[in-house]
mmCIF file of all heavy atoms in Angstrom:
data_model
loop_
_atom_site.group_PDB
_atom_site.id
_atom_site.type_symbol
_atom_site.label_atom_id
_atom_site.label_comp_id
_atom_site.label_asym_id
_atom_site.label_seq_id
_atom_site.Cartn_x
_atom_site.Cartn_y
_atom_site.Cartn_z
ATOM 1 N N LEU Z 33 125.548 137.001 109.200
ATOM 2 C CA LEU Z 33 125.372 138.432 108.738
ATOM 3 C C LEU Z 33 124.213 139.104 109.526
ATOM 4 O O LEU Z 33 123.331 138.412 110.083
ATOM 5 C CB LEU Z 33 125.103 138.471 107.219
ATOM 6 C CG LEU Z 33 126.158 137.773 106.387
ATOM 7 C CD1 LEU Z 33 125.738 137.766 104.911
ATOM 8 C CD2 LEU Z 33 127.449 138.620 106.505
ATOM 9 N N MET Z 40 116.248 135.708 107.527
ATOM 10 C CA MET Z 40 114.895 135.061 107.574
ATOM 11 C C MET Z 40 114.624 134.220 106.370
ATOM 12 O O MET Z 40 113.914 133.218 106.435
ATOM 13 C CB MET Z 40 113.873 136.184 107.686
ATOM 14 C CG MET Z 40 113.927 136.992 108.915
ATOM 15 S SD MET Z 40 113.688 135.884 110.366
ATOM 16 C CE MET Z 40 112.068 135.226 110.105
ATOM 17 N N ASP Z 42 116.903 132.364 104.873
ATOM 18 C CA ASP Z 42 117.541 131.037 105.049
ATOM 19 C C ASP Z 42 116.756 130.207 106.060
ATOM 20 O O ASP Z 42 116.682 129.030 105.857
ATOM 21 C CB ASP Z 42 118.925 131.279 105.439
ATOM 22 C CG ASP Z 42 119.850 131.831 104.358
ATOM 23 O OD1 ASP Z 42 119.426 131.762 103.198
ATOM 24 O OD2 ASP Z 42 120.912 132.403 104.657
ATOM 25 N N SER Z 48 110.870 125.075 105.712
ATOM 26 C CA SER Z 48 110.157 124.500 104.568
ATOM 27 C C SER Z 48 110.678 123.150 104.206
ATOM 28 O O SER Z 48 109.925 122.201 103.905
ATOM 29 C CB SER Z 48 110.178 125.487 103.404
ATOM 30 O OG SER Z 48 109.446 124.932 102.264
ATOM 31 N N ASP Z 49 111.968 123.074 104.081
ATOM 32 C CA ASP Z 49 112.698 121.833 103.700
ATOM 33 C C ASP Z 49 112.417 120.734 104.729
ATOM 34 O O ASP Z 49 112.210 119.550 104.404
ATOM 35 C CB ASP Z 49 114.157 122.014 103.476
ATOM 36 C CG ASP Z 49 114.386 122.853 102.261
ATOM 37 O OD1 ASP Z 49 113.498 122.948 101.396
ATOM 38 O OD2 ASP Z 49 115.589 123.394 102.132
ATOM 39 N N ALA Z 50 112.485 121.115 105.994
ATOM 40 C CA ALA Z 50 112.285 120.111 107.073
ATOM 41 C C ALA Z 50 110.843 119.506 107.025
ATOM 42 O O ALA Z 50 110.683 118.401 107.445
ATOM 43 C CB ALA Z 50 112.555 120.861 108.468
ATOM 44 N N GLY Z 53 108.222 121.074 102.427
ATOM 45 C CA GLY Z 53 107.675 122.115 101.559
ATOM 46 C C GLY Z 53 106.190 122.041 101.317
ATOM 47 O O GLY Z 53 105.680 122.379 100.270
ATOM 48 N N SER Z 63 107.154 106.929 108.658
ATOM 49 C CA SER Z 63 107.221 105.520 108.972
ATOM 50 C C SER Z 63 107.316 105.277 110.445
ATOM 51 O O SER Z 63 108.036 106.049 111.151
ATOM 52 C CB SER Z 63 108.439 104.862 108.283
ATOM 53 O OG SER Z 63 108.280 104.865 106.928
ATOM 54 N N GLN Z 69 98.804 95.806 117.441
ATOM 55 C CA GLN Z 69 97.685 96.596 117.059
ATOM 56 C C GLN Z 69 97.257 97.585 118.074
ATOM 57 O O GLN Z 69 96.705 98.666 117.759
ATOM 58 C CB GLN Z 69 96.491 95.710 116.572
ATOM 59 C CG GLN Z 69 96.826 94.903 115.362
ATOM 60 C CD GLN Z 69 97.015 95.750 114.040
ATOM 61 O OE1 GLN Z 69 96.428 96.830 113.857
ATOM 62 N NE2 GLN Z 69 97.913 95.264 113.174
ATOM 63 N N ILE Z 82 98.124 110.388 108.248
ATOM 64 C CA ILE Z 82 97.743 110.979 107.007
ATOM 65 C C ILE Z 82 97.974 109.979 105.861
ATOM 66 O O ILE Z 82 98.669 108.965 106.034
ATOM 67 C CB ILE Z 82 98.597 112.257 106.778
ATOM 68 C CG1 ILE Z 82 100.121 111.936 106.539
ATOM 69 C CG2 ILE Z 82 98.392 113.343 107.781
ATOM 70 C CD1 ILE Z 82 100.853 113.097 105.996
ATOM 71 N N MET Z 97 99.868 100.473 105.326
ATOM 72 C CA MET Z 97 99.928 101.877 104.912
ATOM 73 C C MET Z 97 98.513 102.435 105.144
ATOM 74 O O MET Z 97 97.513 101.836 104.937
ATOM 75 C CB MET Z 97 100.293 101.848 103.425
ATOM 76 C CG MET Z 97 100.267 103.275 102.787
ATOM 77 S SD MET Z 97 100.848 103.371 101.065
ATOM 78 C CE MET Z 97 102.636 103.084 101.455
ATOM 79 N N TYR Z 98 98.582 103.747 105.444
ATOM 80 C CA TYR Z 98 97.247 104.475 105.661
ATOM 81 C C TYR Z 98 96.795 105.081 104.341
ATOM 82 O O TYR Z 98 97.570 105.793 103.684
ATOM 83 C CB TYR Z 98 97.445 105.586 106.680
ATOM 84 C CG TYR Z 98 96.066 106.210 107.178
ATOM 85 C CD1 TYR Z 98 95.243 105.468 108.066
ATOM 86 C CD2 TYR Z 98 95.751 107.384 106.724
ATOM 87 C CE1 TYR Z 98 94.042 105.957 108.486
ATOM 88 C CE2 TYR Z 98 94.502 107.954 107.173
ATOM 89 C CZ TYR Z 98 93.662 107.183 108.119
ATOM 90 O OH TYR Z 98 92.468 107.730 108.533
ATOM 91 N N HIS Z 118 86.147 77.851 107.569
ATOM 92 C CA HIS Z 118 85.172 77.294 106.541
ATOM 93 C C HIS Z 118 83.800 77.183 107.239
ATOM 94 O O HIS Z 118 83.700 76.657 108.342
ATOM 95 C CB HIS Z 118 85.652 75.865 106.139
ATOM 96 C CG HIS Z 118 84.997 75.394 104.910
ATOM 97 N ND1 HIS Z 118 83.782 74.921 104.930
ATOM 98 C CD2 HIS Z 118 85.474 75.211 103.633
ATOM 99 C CE1 HIS Z 118 83.424 74.473 103.724
ATOM 100 N NE2 HIS Z 118 84.422 74.650 102.879
ATOM 101 N N THR Z 119 82.795 77.636 106.559
ATOM 102 C CA THR Z 119 81.486 77.721 107.184
ATOM 103 C C THR Z 119 80.823 76.303 107.424
ATOM 104 O O THR Z 119 79.909 76.106 108.133
ATOM 105 C CB THR Z 119 80.470 78.586 106.376
ATOM 106 O OG1 THR Z 119 80.386 77.905 104.995
ATOM 107 C CG2 THR Z 119 81.049 79.970 106.217
ATOM 108 N N PHE Z 145 95.170 70.936 105.773
ATOM 109 C CA PHE Z 145 94.535 70.666 106.933
ATOM 110 C C PHE Z 145 94.299 69.125 107.067
ATOM 111 O O PHE Z 145 93.854 68.453 106.199
ATOM 112 C CB PHE Z 145 93.079 71.390 106.945
ATOM 113 C CG PHE Z 145 92.250 71.032 108.151
ATOM 114 C CD1 PHE Z 145 92.491 71.663 109.346
ATOM 115 C CD2 PHE Z 145 91.265 70.019 108.177
ATOM 116 C CE1 PHE Z 145 91.689 71.429 110.497
ATOM 117 C CE2 PHE Z 145 90.481 69.767 109.157
ATOM 118 C CZ PHE Z 145 90.669 70.464 110.436
ATOM 119 N N GLY Z 172 83.042 88.848 87.003
ATOM 120 C CA GLY Z 172 82.027 87.769 86.932
ATOM 121 C C GLY Z 172 81.522 87.353 88.314
ATOM 122 O O GLY Z 172 82.080 87.716 89.360
ATOM 123 N N ALA Z 182 92.704 66.851 97.656
ATOM 124 C CA ALA Z 182 92.301 66.030 98.796
ATOM 125 C C ALA Z 182 93.089 64.744 98.754
ATOM 126 O O ALA Z 182 93.333 64.160 97.662
ATOM 127 C CB ALA Z 182 90.843 65.766 98.673
ATOM 128 N N VAL Z 196 86.731 78.599 93.818
ATOM 129 C CA VAL Z 196 86.142 79.768 93.090
ATOM 130 C C VAL Z 196 85.495 80.724 94.114
ATOM 131 O O VAL Z 196 84.873 80.237 95.045
ATOM 132 C CB VAL Z 196 85.080 79.341 92.098
ATOM 133 C CG1 VAL Z 196 85.791 78.453 90.962
ATOM 134 C CG2 VAL Z 196 83.936 78.511 92.717
ATOM 135 N N THR Z 200 78.767 88.276 95.342
ATOM 136 C CA THR Z 200 78.930 89.543 94.726
ATOM 137 C C THR Z 200 80.266 90.188 95.133
ATOM 138 O O THR Z 200 80.787 89.836 96.217
ATOM 139 C CB THR Z 200 77.835 90.455 95.164
ATOM 140 O OG1 THR Z 200 77.890 90.591 96.586
ATOM 141 C CG2 THR Z 200 76.464 89.912 94.723
ATOM 142 N N ASP Z 211 86.394 67.036 91.435
ATOM 143 C CA ASP Z 211 85.855 66.174 90.347
ATOM 144 C C ASP Z 211 84.934 65.110 91.017
ATOM 145 O O ASP Z 211 85.360 64.482 91.960
ATOM 146 C CB ASP Z 211 86.914 65.397 89.617
ATOM 147 C CG ASP Z 211 87.777 66.423 88.734
ATOM 148 O OD1 ASP Z 211 87.172 67.389 88.247
ATOM 149 O OD2 ASP Z 211 89.004 66.180 88.616
#
Side-chain angles (χ1 to χ4, degrees):
L33 298 174
M40 292 306 297
D42 291 343
S48 179
D49 290 344
S63 294
Q69 292 297 324
I82 65 169
M97 178 174 286
Y98 193 74
H118 195 287
T119 62
F145 178 79
V196 296
T200 56
D211 290 329

